Structure formats: structure tokens, C-alpha cells
Amino acid sequence: MLVTPIAEYPLVCIGVSKGTNQNLLHFDTVNLNLSSSWFTEQGSGENQLDVVNVTQLEKDTVLVAFDREVKIVNLSGKLKSSKKLAAELHFDFYTESIVCLQDSVLAFHKHGMQGRSFKANEVTQEICDKSRIFRLIGSDRMIVLESRPSDDPTAPSNLYILAGHEATY
């Protein structure tokens, strides 16, 4: 959901595609404020991104996670750089899920996770264990991970609570 200051109801984001410019993203939305057609102009589908997460951080700041990237854009989809936030974060792996914290992003992959700072795009923490398969179970208040052996994915799992983290968005 994307909240705009001029609309009574939020826009529902149903997809994200690359814009004509590499630094531009296009949000495919359902606009509940319109009485005629709720659907906004949609992308062609060929530039559609395999989005993992869309989170509105501030009134005009949206985090979009896809492939190996996290982009910080405004509501128009244009990259938004500031002293507080890097406009782009890059990972060495395809992200399966994202948790937004106050000052960083935790990106989860099959064998672990990596935290990156919003401010400097530096790695703040990292877990990588090829002998285990990890899956993010929940991140509403506590971040909960499931872990299973890589060589036996049907084996009973272990659950972990990541301490010192609180999902804020």
C-alpha cells in the first residue's frame, strides 16, 4: 500500500516495472480513490520486475527490493538519494525476503542473511552457512528464522529468534 498525502485512500501496489530510464521504476497500482476505473496505467509486462518487497519508509520514500538490489525511490519511482539514505543497495545474492530496520536492511537468502546500512551501503552483519537452508518465518515484531540441513530439507527444523532486531516498517 502506498499512502499519498492528497488521496483519501491508499494506492494498492500490484506490481513494479522498470521505467524508460534505468533510474526510474513504475508502480502498477489500484487507485481506490477513483470511481470509474481503479487500475492505473499498467506496464507492458516485459519490464516487470520480480519484486520481493515494497515498503513505504516515509511519506515520499519507498523501498523496492528485487533480484540482487534494493532501491530507494520517491512515489513517482525516481531514485531518491539523501544524506540519510543511499539510493541503491546491492547484494551478491538473490534476495528471498527483506526486513527493514530503522537504519538498515536485512536481506535473506537460501543459506543466510546479510544486513546493509542505509547510510553507507556497508555490510553491518552477515550469516552464511551452506550446510543449512534458512527461511524467514516472520518479522512483524520479532524476526524468526527456520533452519534445516541442506542435505535433508525434509528434516525437522530449528527456529531462531534474531535478537537485537526489531522490524520497524
Side-chain angles (χ1 to χ4, degrees), residues 32-129:
L32 303 176
N33 297 288
L34 301 176
S35 58
S36 56
S37 175
W38 282 355
F39 293 93
T40 60
E41 187 177 313
Q42 300 213 358
S44 63
E46 63 189 49
N47 293 327
Q48 196 76 18
L49 298 172
D50 188 16
V51 174
V52 173
N53 186 297
V54 175
T55 301
Q56 188 165 3
L57 302 175
E58 295 172 354
K59 67 179 180 179
D60 189 37
T61 306
V62 180
L63 178 144
V64 181
F66 59 95
D67 296 334
R68 298 171 183 245
E69 297 182 53
V70 170
K71 292 193 181 225
I72 311 294
V73 298
N74 63 20
L75 287 171
S76 300
K78 185 176 177 185
L79 277 180
K80 185 174 181 177
S81 61
S82 70
K83 292 179 183 174
K84 283 175 36 178
L85 299 173
E88 298 179 274
L89 304 175
H90 299 279
F91 296 92
D92 298 334
F93 52 85
Y94 287 96
T95 57
E96 293 180 1
S97 52
I98 293 279
V99 174
C100 297
L101 303 174
Q102 192 68 31
D103 59 350
S104 60
V105 171
L106 300 179
F108 294 85
H109 58 91
K110 186 175 184 175
H111 297 291
M113 65 80 119
Q114 185 179 84
R116 284 198 174 264
S117 163
F118 278 132
K119 189 160 183 129
N121 192 17
E122 296 174 333
V123 175
T124 57
Q125 56 194 302
E126 190 165 22
I127 298 170
C128 188
D129 183 353

